[in-house]
């Protein structure tokens, strides 16, 4: 049976979880017309946004960063390239997806997506995600 994806922003309650307590999902991220993360990379979505938060935080602190998907052998990395651009690479054992975009635009999109996700999760679960939001925003 094919998984059914729903946009969490359209949910009025947390989607039902079939296995364990993980809320499986995907981040749909296309950078400069390259789908770097898509429905082929289903994982625990809350933990994946945590990995993205670590990635953004690490990039701000070190000028480059790498993180891993929570439950599969997939890495995601950010590294600067000349002229104010930022390369994002998502890779597995024998494949790689990479693209380049403006540094400010790409970081802003990652932060906005994460904050939107955590705000919606707060609404749906009544749990607080302040630490995760601060990691993304740098506040």
């Amino acid at each position: 049976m094919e998984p059914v994806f729903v946009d969490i922003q359209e949910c009025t309650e947390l989607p039902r979880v079939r296995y364990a307590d993980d809320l499986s999902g995907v981040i749909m991220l296309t950078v400069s017309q390259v789908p770097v993360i898509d429905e082929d990379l289903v994982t625990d979505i809350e933990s994946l946004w945590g990995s993205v938060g670590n990635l953004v935080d690490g990039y701000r602190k070190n000028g480059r960063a790498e993180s891993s998907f929570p439950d599969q052998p997939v890495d995601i990395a950010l590294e600067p390239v000349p002229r104010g651009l930022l390369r994002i690479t998502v890779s597995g054992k024998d494949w790689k997806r990479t693209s380049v975009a403006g540094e400010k635009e790409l970081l802003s999109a990652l932060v906005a997506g994460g904050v939107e996700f955590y705000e919606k999760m707060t609404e749906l679960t009544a749990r607080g995600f302040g630490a995760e939001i601060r990691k993304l925003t740098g506040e």
Side-chain angles (χ1 to χ4, degrees):
M1 187 162 111
E2 285 291 310
V4 176
F5 295 103
V6 297
D7 184 342
I8 196 148
Q9 296 303 320
E10 296 174 4
C11 293
T12 56
E13 60 184 25
L14 203 59
R16 283 197 7 246
V17 178
R18 286 186 17 199
Y19 307 108
D21 290 329
D22 293 347
L23 181 61
S24 293
V26 296
I27 295 173
M28 300 297 287
L29 180 63
T30 299
V31 178
S32 300
Q33 289 82 46
V34 176
V36 291
I37 305 176
D38 61 16
E39 62 274 350
D40 291 336
L41 297 172
V42 175
T43 191
D44 173 48
I45 193 68
E46 190 177 324
S47 296
L48 180 56
W49 274 115
S51 293
V52 170
N54 291 336
L55 188 72
V56 170
D57 185 53
Y59 184 80
R60 276 197 202 100
K61 291 176 178 170
N62 305 311
R64 64 183 57 242
E66 189 171 320
S67 189
S68 296
F69 274 52
D71 59 1
Q72 54 186 304
V74 176
D75 294 318
I76 182 170
L78 294 176
E79 60 183 325
V81 292
R83 298 189 190 105
L85 298 175
L86 182 58
R87 177 181 295 124
I88 184 168
T89 303
V90 178
S91 58
K93 181 179 177 194
D94 55 3
W95 60 273
K96 176 166 53 171
R97 301 174 185 170
T98 190
S99 191
V100 175
E103 179 185 63
K104 289 181 177 135
E105 293 83 3
L106 181 51
L107 288 175
S108 177
L110 293 172
V111 169
V115 168
E116 184 177 84
F117 172 79
Y118 285 123
E119 287 176 345
K120 186 64 176 187
M121 287 295 287
T122 298
E123 176 187 320
L124 296 175
T125 66
R127 288 177 34 216
F129 293 92
E132 292 86 346
I133 291 173
R134 285 189 297 280
K135 185 169 275 194
L136 279 162
T137 61
E139 294 174 4

